[in-house]
Amino acid sequence: MKVGIFIGAVLFVVLYVISIIYVSRRIQEGFSGILPEKSRWALYTVMAVLSFSLVFGMMPVSYGVKRIFSTMGAYFMGFYAYALMLFLVRDGVLLLGKLLKIKGDLDGMKLLSTSSVMITVLSLVLVVYGTVHAGNIKTVSYEVDSYAQSLPEKMKIVLLSDLHLGAVGSEKRLPEIIKKVQAEEPDLVLLSGDIFDDDFMLIRDPQKAIKLFQGVESTYGIYASLGNHDGGKTFPQMLQFLEESGITVLLEQHQVVADSFVILGRLDPSPIGGFGGDERQETKEVLSALPDGLPVIVLDHTPSHVEQYGKEVDLVLSGHTHKGQIFPFQLGTKLLFDVDYGFYKRNEEAPAYIVTSGAGTWGPPMRIGTNSEIVRITLQRVK
């Protein structure tokens, strides 16, 4: 198993290096007419530094340096992803033209140079657009009916997921996110994981973020489950942050709220660095400990194995997928998950599922083809 992982990692690095060289050569050919020959090596040096800046940020250096490399790497990954895709499409079209023997100078130097410049500029424009768009927080709404008579007639829930505090742009977006939460005047606020981005120490101003959360008013409080990025060596600091913020964290635990309903918080099955010794338990075991006769809301970060919850659960809230975050990766999330976004109900016996694209971003601080969002859920009692 370890040998397989090692071989896979080596293969990934080799392919990544080849792709960086490929993109660098394509950019260089576009600007070769206006830049001196020696500039090629300067370009390759810059591309090499940027392409491995995320790795540099993982080295034992100060957090100030880590943030610089993380920021460089995050923006570069967005540029690299689109430049690579667009260059491959262009070269694929040119190759197809050759194979079909289409007449015309399809691979002439002028065409290659001009298209390389256009692709480079377009990739940079997409980074700018995606970054701006990621900060435009939307509000989406769902209505869910319940026959549980213990519930209030109507209960407004606000769902947040994937804040990724510590990631590039996360703290800048947080005040607007909290403002939108407060504007909803919620009865209940729920966080379905990935509140942090692996390392608590990457948050620039934790006290400011704590004060923002402390300012949220709701009838029944704020509850959270943990996602795959909410663990690791700074896990104790994460828990302390949540406690000071007035957020109740449920670690494979449930909470009866106002004798009306139950909130169950699940641990993600694949935490990066672990949850300080806590682990996800068997779903049947966790569900068997729930009190009878009350509706159950489950916070489960990753929307995998939807069949694990049945009629004993009323509502499951998830995130994780980001809906792919940037086009065309939503095509991948649709293949990987039974439900990668939106509302889903398998059958009449199954709970309602709601999967949000999340309020934040992971990796490139961009969104293209998806939205950053908070979710308003109206849970209404049906007689």
Side-chain angles (χ1 to χ4, degrees), residues 189-227:
V189 178
L190 300 175
L191 282 70
S192 61
D194 278 2
I195 302 160
F196 306 99
D197 196 55
D198 298 319
D199 191 340
F200 177 82
M201 301 305 293
L202 286 174
I203 303 176
R204 294 175 183 271
D205 193 346
Q207 288 304 313
K208 181 179 179 181
I210 287 172
K211 288 181 180 179
L212 287 169
F213 281 114
Q214 288 175 339
V216 175
E217 296 182 0
S218 63
T219 308
Y220 301 116
I222 310 176
Y223 295 84
S225 66
L226 299 182

Side-chain angles (χ1 to χ4, degrees), residues 78 80-86 89 126 321-336 340 366-370:
Y80 157 78
Y82 278 107
L84 179 62
M85 286 188 286
L86 292 170
V89 169
L126 286 171
T321 69
H322 293 227
K323 200 185 176 184
Q325 192 168 310
I326 59 175
F327 179 84
F329 294 109
Q330 49 264 65
L331 302 178
T333 59
K334 285 183 179 294
L335 292 173
L336 288 172
D340 75 322
M366 305 161 45
R367 280 194 180 268
I368 297 176
T370 66

Side-chain angles (χ1 to χ4, degrees), residues 13-257:
V13 171
V14 170
L15 291 175
Y16 180 59
V17 170
I18 291 173
S19 70
I20 292 296
I21 294 172
Y22 168 74
V23 171
S24 300
R25 286 176 65 93
R26 290 295 178 257
I27 294 174
Q28 193 272 332
E29 74 186 6
F31 293 91
S32 59
I34 58 175
L35 295 175
E37 180 67 20
K38 291 182 179 179
S39 67
R40 177 178 62 183
W41 301 109
L43 171 64
Y44 288 166
T45 300
V46 170
M47 289 289 287
V49 171
L50 290 174
S51 61
F52 285 96
S53 54
L54 288 176
V55 176
F56 298 150
M58 297 176 187
M59 293 181 177
V61 294
S62 70
Y63 276 96
V65 175
K66 283 179 180 287
R67 292 189 188 100
I68 292 172
F69 280 122
S70 296
T71 301
M72 290 168 52
Y75 284 109
F76 174 75
M77 290 309 295
F79 168 79
Y80 157 78
Y82 278 107
L84 179 62
M85 286 188 286
L86 292 170
F87 279 126
L88 286 173
V89 169
R90 184 203 67 178
D91 290 351
V93 170
L94 294 178
L95 178 60
L96 182 62
K98 283 186 176 181
L99 293 174
L100 296 177
K101 297 181 180 179
I102 297 176
K103 294 181 179 181
D105 190 17
L106 284 176
D107 57 349
M109 290 305 298
K110 185 175 181 180
L111 173 63
L112 289 173
S113 176
T114 302
S115 60
S116 290
V117 171
M118 292 175 63
I119 287 172
T120 303
V121 172
L122 177 58
S123 299
L124 290 170
V125 169
L126 286 171
V127 170
V128 174
Y129 164 77
T131 301
V132 173
H133 182 60
N136 185 17
I137 314 298
K138 305 289 186 181
T139 302
V140 298
S141 300
Y142 300 96
E143 291 187 356
V144 179
D145 292 337
S146 174
Y147 291 95
Q149 297 305 300
S150 63
L151 284 171
E153 186 174 345
K154 277 192 177 182
M155 183 167 66
K156 186 187 291 184
I157 302 170
V158 171
L159 170 65
L160 290 176
S161 188
D162 298 278
L163 293 170
H164 286 279
L165 295 178
V168 177
S170 59
E171 290 174 79
K172 185 178 180 180
R173 290 189 289 263
L174 187 59
E176 178 65 18
I177 293 169
I178 297 300
K179 180 180 178 181
K180 285 185 172 291
V181 172
Q182 291 174 311
E184 293 297 326
E185 298 182 350
D187 296 307
L188 179 65
V189 178
L190 300 175
L191 282 70
S192 61
D194 278 2
I195 302 160
F196 306 99
D197 196 55
D198 298 319
D199 191 340
F200 177 82
M201 301 305 293
L202 286 174
I203 303 176
R204 294 175 183 271
D205 193 346
Q207 288 304 313
K208 181 179 179 181
I210 287 172
K211 288 181 180 179
L212 287 169
F213 281 114
Q214 288 175 339
V216 175
E217 296 182 0
S218 63
T219 308
Y220 301 116
I222 310 176
Y223 295 84
S225 66
L226 299 182
N228 55 303
H229 289 278
D230 293 325
K233 64 181 180 180
T234 57
F235 183 62
Q237 289 95 319
M238 294 176 184
L239 292 182
Q240 183 178 352
F241 173 97
L242 295 170
E243 182 180 354
E244 292 182 21
S245 298
I247 299 171
T248 301
V249 186
L250 300 173
L251 310 174
E252 294 296 284
Q253 301 163 318
H254 68 268
Q255 178 81 45
V256 178
V257 181

